[in-house]
């Protein structure tokens, strides 16, 4: 009787070892829990309706996830849930910059180090530094159209096709952060993907974020909108992979709105690299040209990205404790960034 029914007894343990029986359990559905909130949902939804938003929204308030919902419909009326996954494009630069500054803090990387320590580039002198990659002032350009098959060695492709122009002048070129991913790998001694997982994804405790390595079965499809004809078109896999190859290829991240909110909260917290290193490189100063990093905008931290039909924006308080993330797979018009800022102000009023 003890062997069968007294589950905390030693007899029960040995009984199951000998008979190799396992107990049947009823699977429990798990969802990302949200804390209670005083947000005026009517006003929040009014902001999204005005934007004709189609995607997912997540809100963090005082470090806790308080709101996450899908809103609106894309042309195919794809079903969205709290865990719907999106490509984030240059929004990933926020995480790459944070990873760089973690290595700077650890003494494994220096922003003044010439890129030539890690890679040989024709006509690149000592002024092409790690810091210039971060600021998009390296002078590196890349005008070659990438292939439509997902590239697993995007570094080699960038090195083979990049050219150096005038260093010190801002020029948004994705080659900068592609090379930073390789420098992170060399400085850390592990792959870029592993360093991002170990340093950011696991400590932030995100559950639905990863790297795209094959077809887009895990992701909600994206769509482009043509204003002239008032029509939408699904982005093909070839177009999507070509856009990915122009940035980080198979190192490109997918995530959910709530995961992106948690990640942003984590990398801006005092427990990460601290204020000194955060403002030295992970966060761009107000008025800085667009790099995809978090940027100071008045009293807010903001970032945005448009990527093969995916449109993403976030707005957080300077301490990173309260913020809004909008991830969309179909946007007709308007500014996701302005809407994220407006919703953040709405959330702050409800504090």
């Amino acid at each position: 009787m003890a062997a069968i029914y007294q589950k905390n007894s030693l007899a029960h343990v040995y009984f199951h070892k000998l008979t190799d029986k396992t107990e049947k359990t009823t699977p429990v559905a798990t969802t990302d829990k949200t804390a209670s909130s005083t947000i005026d949902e009517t006003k929040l939804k009014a902001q999204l309706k005005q934007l004709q938003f189609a995607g997912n929204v997540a809100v963090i308030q005082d470090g806790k996830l308080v709101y996450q919902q899908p809103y609106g419909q894309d042309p195919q009326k794809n079903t969205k849930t709290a865990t719907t996954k999106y490509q984030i494009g240059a929004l990933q630069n926020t995480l790459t910059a944070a990873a760089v500054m973690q290595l700077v803090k650890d003494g494994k990387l220096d922003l003044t180090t010439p890129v030539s320590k890690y890679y040989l580039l024709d006509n690149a002198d000592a002024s092409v530094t790690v810091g210039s990659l971060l600021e998009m002032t390296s002078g590196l350009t890349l005008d070659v159209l990438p292939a439509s098959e997902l590239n697993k060695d995007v570094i080699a492709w960038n090195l083979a096709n990049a050219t150096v122009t005038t260093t010190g002048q801002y020029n948004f070129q994705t080659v900068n952060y592609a090379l930073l991913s390789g420098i992170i790998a060399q400085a850390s001694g592990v792959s870029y993907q592993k360093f991002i997982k170990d340093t950011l994804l696991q400590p932030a405790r995100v559950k639905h974020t990863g790297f795209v390595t094959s077809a887009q079965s895990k992701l909600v499809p994206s769509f482009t909108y043509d204003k002239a004809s008032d029509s939408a078109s699904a982005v093909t896999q070839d177009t999507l992979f070509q856009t990915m190859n122009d940035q980080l290829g198979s190192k490109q991240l997918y995530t959910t709105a709530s995961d992106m909110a948690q990640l942003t909260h984590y990398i801006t917290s005092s427990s990460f690299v601290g204020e000194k290193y955060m403002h030295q490189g992970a966060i761009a100063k107000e008025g800085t040209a667009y790099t995809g990093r978090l940027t100071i905008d008045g009293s807010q931290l903001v970032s945005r990205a448009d990527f093969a039909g995916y449109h993403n924006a976030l707005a957080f308080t300077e301490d990173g404790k309260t913020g809004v993330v909008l991830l969309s797979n179909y946007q007709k018009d308007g500014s996701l960034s302005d809407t994220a800022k407006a919703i953040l102000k709405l959330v702050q009023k409800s504090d």
Side-chain angles (χ1 to χ4, degrees):
M1 292 293 289
I4 298 173
Y5 297 110
Q6 293 183 14
K7 296 181 180 181
N8 61 343
S9 70
L10 190 59
H12 180 77
V13 174
Y14 280 117
F15 173 77
H16 279 273
K17 281 186 177 181
L18 290 170
T19 59
D20 194 30
K21 291 183 179 179
T22 55
E23 296 176 32
K24 293 181 179 181
T25 57
T26 304
V28 179
T30 58
T31 57
D32 292 343
K33 295 180 180 179
T34 56
S36 58
S37 170
T38 56
I39 298 173
D40 189 328
E41 290 190 28
T42 301
K43 290 184 178 179
L44 186 154
K45 290 178 179 178
Q47 292 280 356
L48 298 176
K49 183 178 181 180
Q50 184 177 353
L51 183 67
Q52 300 183 67
F53 178 74
N56 279 65
V57 55
V59 178
I60 276 185
Q61 204 171 22
D62 195 25
K64 296 179 181 179
L65 185 66
V66 296
Y67 186 86
Q68 56 170 341
Q69 290 291 335
Y71 184 92
Q73 289 186 331
D74 60 45
Q76 289 182 354
K77 298 182 179 180
N78 286 286
T79 300
K80 297 184 177 76
T81 68
T83 59
T84 296
K85 300 171 182 66
Y86 298 78
Q87 286 262 29
I88 60 173
L91 206 63
Q92 186 169 339
N93 292 1
T94 294
L95 307 182
T96 300
V100 165
M101 296 316 297
Q102 176 66 67
L103 290 167
V104 171
K105 180 185 177 182
D106 292 344
K108 296 180 179 180
L109 197 58
D110 192 316
L111 297 182
T112 63
T113 300
V115 173
S116 58
K117 176 180 177 180
Y118 304 98
Y119 296 112
L120 292 178
L121 292 161
D122 291 339
N123 301 321
D125 58 24
S127 65
V128 182
T129 64
V130 174
S132 70
L133 296 179
L134 204 64
E135 302 288 342
M136 299 276 188
T137 57
S138 67
L140 291 175
T141 62
L142 194 65
D143 300 321
V144 181
L145 193 65
S148 58
E149 294 181 4
L150 190 59
N151 190 345
K152 295 184 179 180
D153 192 5
V154 73
I155 300 293
W157 184 83
N158 275 269
L159 291 172
N161 293 286
T163 58
V164 182
T165 56
T166 305
T167 305
Q169 295 182 4
Y170 168 79
N171 184 17
F172 183 91
Q173 292 284 327
T174 55
V175 59
N176 289 283
Y177 277 72
L179 292 188
L180 278 177
S181 71
I183 290 172
I184 287 170
Q186 292 188 51
S188 66
V190 298
S191 69
Y192 170 79
Q193 292 96 321
K194 180 170 174 52
F195 190 77
I196 292 294
K197 286 179 181 178
D198 294 348
T199 307
L200 299 173
L201 306 188
Q202 290 181 359
R205 298 180 181 179
V206 294
K207 302 175 182 177
H208 311 289
T209 302
F211 295 92
V212 178
T213 56
S214 59
Q216 307 308 103
S217 58
K218 294 181 178 179
L219 312 179
V220 64
S222 61
F223 303 84
T224 57
Y225 173 71
D226 182 70
K227 193 171 184 179
S229 61
D230 189 28
S231 62
S233 301
V235 174
T236 65
Q237 182 173 290
D238 283 353
T239 298
L240 182 59
F241 283 175
Q242 193 170 55
T243 308
M244 289 171 64
N245 290 339
D246 193 47
Q247 297 198 18
L248 289 168
S250 61
K251 297 176 183 177
Q252 191 72 41
L253 278 168
Y254 63 81
T255 191
T256 64
S258 58
D259 271 14
M260 193 67 216
Q262 288 176 243
L263 279 165
T264 307
H265 170 59
Y266 175 70
I267 65 176
T268 53
S269 66
S270 58
S271 61
F272 187 52
V273 295
E275 188 173 347
K276 174 186 174 182
Y277 295 100
M278 186 60 61
H279 289 279
Q280 187 180 342
I283 292 177
K285 297 177 182 177
E286 189 162 17
T288 302
Y290 175 76
T291 61
R293 289 179 296 168
L294 286 169
T295 304
I296 298 174
D297 183 5
S299 60
Q300 296 182 355
L301 296 176
V302 300
S303 187
R304 60 177 177 80
D306 299 298
F307 183 84
Y310 294 103
H311 304 273
N312 315 303
L314 58 83
F316 273 69
T317 54
E318 285 191 89
D319 60 8
K321 291 182 178 180
T322 300
V324 177
V325 172
L326 300 176
L327 302 184
S328 172
N329 66 326
Y330 176 61
Q331 186 59 38
K332 279 189 172 183
D333 203 358
S335 169
L336 259 71
S337 186
D338 288 345
T339 300
K341 295 175 193 177
I343 294 175
L344 176 58
K345 289 182 179 178
L346 180 66
V347 173
Q348 288 179 286
K349 286 181 180 179
S350 68
D351 282 345

